[in-house]
Amino acid sequence: MENRRILIIGLDGVTWRLLEPMMEEGLLPNLKRLREEGVGGVLESTKPPVTATAWVTFQTGVLPGKHGVYEFNQYTPGSYETHFATSRDFVLPTIWELASEQGKKVVVVNVPLTYPPRPVNGCVITGIQTPNLKSTFTFPPELSGEILAHVPGYTIVTPQSFYNLRGLEEFTRMCIKTEQERLKAMKFLLAEKCPDWDIAMFHVQSLDLMQHAVYWMLDQRNEHFDARAYSVAVELYREVDRMLGELFSLAPSGTLKVTLSDHGHQPVYKTINLNTFLYSQGLIALRTGGGARRWAFKIIRRLLHFDRWNLNRLIGRRRRRKLVDRLAQGTIIDWSRTKAYMLNGWVYGNIYINVRGREPLGIVDPGAEYEALREELFALLKDFRDPASGEPVIQIVYRREEIFQGPFIDQAPDLIVVPHEGYEFSSSVFQHSDEVFRANQLRRDHTGSHSLDGICLFAGPMVNRGAILEGARLVDMFPTLLAWMGIPIPSYGDGQVLEGVFRPESLQEMSIMYQNTALPLASEGDREVRVYSEEETEDVEERLRGLGYL
């Protein structure tokens, strides 16, 4: 079989609802041409549609119940704590590793959940979980120094907090610079380190961050749309489109060119603190001793006021957040009388039952009591309304077994709460005793949150030009790309080959192969909770909070 190359560009968080108007205005000529010359459509994300979960599914071909990554800040079993997800949180081989095993050359740049880098037959520059540029953020390890020498301005990411402090024009400029420097690194790898590459991926994070910051200004149907702000922010999209055209022009003829996003975006106007709601329903208990509790609340409110308005010079964000969490868990919440709580999540709300024998101070017996409490919560949440409008705020509540199957279902939240459009959740353990809803504000909060409707485009030889893909899912990308390269598809996968991408005669030439492979399971030491040093943990926490993910 002829050698078939793939060049993939990941556009984190983009949605057709924003891209189509830009294409109609002539702002994205390269993306528009790819759509006209190729095949594509909506790409359904994972549940939850969060970056960490989604990109692991893309890389492994399985849904969260099988790979075990549910959030950036992962629930740590047997505790009331979380840890930051990394490539050590899942043991399944990635598409990069499977390709390497078949002798294919791999280039991967900035894909989330690739830190720490795993060995491949090629080159890796890790993504958003990279703690800092002093760490080993490449494979092979010595490549880190070469990248910094060749691209001294390389930056991991420009967070939304930069916009909050410096404004839209400077934020846009820095996002563009970040992606331009990353493109230099990608071109260096393709041209000098791995010129004989077979599968390569370049990931753009900044579009997701821009949409979190100023979605209202990007969606021309939004009541808060601002034409002037739009003209500034859209420059990032125009530059990414130019970069997309440049990268694809470097690919040899016959290369399959793939563009995709891990999820979509939609507007958000209010943040819901589920823990405050659960407290109001008697499901979270506070420690007795009113004086100490009132003192702790006062400090938390003051610290969070600093955090919202970026008053970092008064007390550093890292110290501030550590103190908030310590006060909330140690001084306020009485776990020995708490039945249910939200520990992580913000796109979807993740509710955990305080189960006896599972949590350190669990009080809810497994079995009948557990199920009765889930039913009670289910009813409460379905009837949960916004007092300002009287409308329900919860679209659907899932029991974990309804959307997750696999060996890691026991680490999934007990209930997964999906809000209606316009709402997201606070993932702080406990912020306030009396504030369930908070209106989101520009230069402080998110104005855009994740949705299920990502995008996908395929262009190149053998594609079913002009077709519209229906029912495509992110999990389907893994077997589709393996099929194109002639690599056997593991039988444990949750996706299907997107046959509509290719012409019928092309499918016959591809000879799609499956391999009867058992789902790899982690031993006790395989899934490492502690990957980062204390300093690195603070770096990652600072970044994820700056992105609004924590």
Side-chain angles (χ1 to χ4, degrees):
M1 187 186 75
E2 63 178 299
N3 187 38
R4 293 176 179 164
R5 291 188 173 192
I6 303 175
L7 180 55
I8 308 162
I9 298 182
L11 305 179
D12 204 285
V14 300
T15 172
W16 291 121
R17 72 180 85 181
L18 294 184
L19 297 182
E20 284 178 341
M22 294 178 190
M23 288 192 291
E24 291 170 4
E25 294 175 34
L27 299 174
L28 309 176
N30 292 301
L31 198 62
K32 183 178 182 181
R33 183 171 62 254
L34 285 169
R35 197 180 195 190
E36 292 170 348
E37 297 177 355
V39 53
V42 172
L43 189 68
E44 182 183 326
S45 185
T46 52
K47 295 176 182 176
V50 297
T51 297
T53 306
W55 285 119
V56 175
T57 285
F58 166 78
Q59 293 179 82
T60 62
V62 300
L63 295 170
K66 289 183 181 177
H67 63 60
V69 176
Y70 296 100
E71 290 286 345
F72 272 117
N73 54 329
Q74 284 274 93
Y75 163 68
T76 302
S79 75
Y80 300 109
E81 298 178 351
T82 62
H83 66 275
F84 295 125
T86 71
S87 65
R88 302 278 175 80
D89 274 271
F90 59 97
V91 298
L92 287 87
T94 63
I95 189 171
W96 326 119
E97 292 168 299
L98 292 178
S100 296
E101 290 172 5
Q102 297 291 320
K104 307 290 186 184
K105 272 291 185 71
V106 172
V107 174
V108 182
V109 173
N110 197 45
V111 175
L113 269 291
T114 51
Y115 183 89
R118 297 184 181 186
V120 298
N121 181 30
C123 302
V124 176
I125 301 177
T126 56
I128 195 172
Q129 281 84 9
T130 307
N132 53 58
L133 296 179
K134 295 181 292 184
S135 63
T136 301
F137 63 96
T138 64
F139 183 87
E142 60 270 18
L143 181 60
S144 298
E146 292 184 65
I147 292 298
L148 295 179
H150 189 79
V151 190
Y154 193 88
T155 303
I156 299 169
V157 74
T158 299
Q160 182 187 331
S161 55
F162 193 92
Y163 160 68
N164 298 348
L165 289 165
R166 305 288 289 274
L168 183 57
E169 291 187 7
E170 188 67 11
F171 179 59
T172 303
R173 186 186 70 79
M174 285 302 299
C175 284
I176 289 173
K177 183 176 185 295
T178 294
E179 301 305 339
Q180 288 174 337
E181 296 298 296
R182 201 177 331 274
L183 180 62
K184 292 178 185 177
M186 179 69 170
K187 290 163 65 177
F188 171 67
L189 297 184
L190 295 180
E192 299 188 33
K193 304 304 293 185
C194 292
D196 53 344
W197 58 271
D198 295 291
I199 177 170
M201 181 168 178
F202 180 78
H203 177 259
V204 178
Q205 189 72 49
S206 295
L207 297 175
D208 177 72
L209 311 181
M210 181 64 74
Q211 289 163 183
H212 281 307
V214 294
Y215 185 94
W216 301 345
M217 305 343 192
L218 291 167
D219 188 345
Q220 299 185 37
R221 299 163 298 179
N222 193 282
E223 62 178 316
H224 299 292
F225 177 74
D226 183 312
R228 182 188 173 282
Y230 174 81
S231 69
V232 174
V234 80
E235 288 302 313
L236 173 61
Y237 292 79
R238 297 182 68 179
E239 178 59 19
V240 170
D241 182 77
R242 186 201 65 76
M243 293 166 57
L244 181 146
E246 181 180 355
L247 262 181
F248 281 150
S249 72
L250 299 176
S253 61
T255 300
L256 180 65
K257 302 169 185 176
V258 181
T259 308
L260 79 156
S261 66
D262 54 331
H263 54 78
H265 249 81
Q266 61 190 14
V268 61
Y269 305 104
K270 288 186 177 182
T271 297
I272 304 168
N273 192 312
L274 269 185
N275 279 329
T276 305
F277 173 73
L278 294 174
Y279 167 71
S280 72
Q281 303 300 311
L283 295 166
I284 287 180
L286 304 184
R287 290 183 180 274
T288 57
R293 193 173 69 237
R294 284 193 296 273
W295 171 82
F297 271 128
K298 285 181 180 179
I299 292 179
I300 286 177
R301 285 173 172 158
R302 180 64 62 183
L303 293 172
L304 290 170
H305 174 78
F306 289 168
D307 194 55
R308 288 189 200 170
W309 296 107
N310 303 289
L311 302 177
N312 295 328
R313 295 173 187 172
L314 300 179
I315 179 171
R317 186 189 297 269
R318 294 175 186 171
R319 290 174 57 203
R320 186 168 64 249
R321 281 292 178 166
K322 277 188 176 180
L323 186 53
V324 166
D325 291 341
R326 190 175 297 119
L327 285 169
Q329 292 201 29
T331 308
I332 294 176
I333 297 179
D334 185 346
W335 295 108
S336 68
R337 296 188 297 123
T338 290
K339 292 184 176 181
Y341 56 96
M342 176 177 165
L343 187 61
N344 57 7
W346 57 278
V347 179
Y348 291 177
N350 297 329
I351 293 182
Y352 298 82
I353 308 296
N354 198 17
V355 178
R356 194 185 310 277
R358 188 182 73 180
E359 274 71 37
L361 298 173
I363 61 171
V364 178
D365 287 326
E369 186 179 4
Y370 170 85
E371 293 299 342
L373 181 55
R374 284 210 302 180
E375 290 304 311
E376 178 186 346
L377 282 162
F378 189 89
L380 283 172
L381 291 163
K382 290 297 290 182
D383 197 41
F384 184 25
R385 295 177 182 269
D386 186 335
S389 66
E391 295 296 319
V393 298
I394 305 304
Q395 181 182 4
I396 189 168
V397 180
Y398 291 110
R399 300 164 184 85
R400 65 182 183 180
E401 62 272 17
E402 293 177 319
I403 56 172
F404 302 128
Q405 291 81 41
F408 298 108
I409 189 172
D410 61 334
Q411 296 176 22
D414 297 290
L415 291 173
I416 299 90
V417 186
V418 183
H420 281 295
E421 182 176 303
Y423 297 92
E424 66 179 4
F425 297 106
S426 167
S427 59
S428 178
V429 173
F430 207 91
Q431 286 193 352
H432 302 277
S433 61
D434 55 0
E435 189 180 58
V436 176
F437 293 88
R438 186 184 80 235
N440 287 20
Q441 297 184 25
L442 279 170
R443 299 185 70 170
R444 188 190 76 179
D445 305 302
H446 283 167
T447 64
S449 188
H450 297 181
S451 58
L452 289 169
D453 56 326
I455 74 160
C456 64
L457 283 174
F458 298 80
M462 302 171 65
V463 302
N464 194 11
R465 180 172 176 170
I468 297 175
L469 285 178
E470 300 285 352
R473 302 172 301 160
L474 183 64
V475 73
D476 298 327
M477 297 297 292
F478 180 87
T480 302
L481 299 179
L482 289 178
W484 166 260
M485 290 189 291
I487 297 174
I489 301 165
S491 57
Y492 59 72
D494 290 320
Q496 299 178 342
V497 175
L498 295 172
E499 296 185 356
V501 169
F502 306 103
R503 299 194 301 269
E505 63 273 20
S506 302
L507 283 171
Q508 295 179 353
E509 293 179 32
M510 288 167 59
S511 62
I512 300 170
M513 299 175 289
Y514 290 87
Q515 185 172 14
N516 189 14
T517 310
L519 181 70
L521 298 177
S523 64
E524 191 66 29
D526 287 337
R527 301 178 82 230
E528 294 184 31
V529 171
R530 297 193 180 277
V531 169
Y532 301 115
S533 67
E534 184 175 351
E535 179 185 355
E536 289 173 337
T537 298
E538 291 180 350
D539 287 338
V540 174
E541 180 176 6
E542 180 82 359
R543 182 176 308 118
L544 294 179
R545 290 202 188 280
L547 299 174
Y549 290 169
L550 300 178

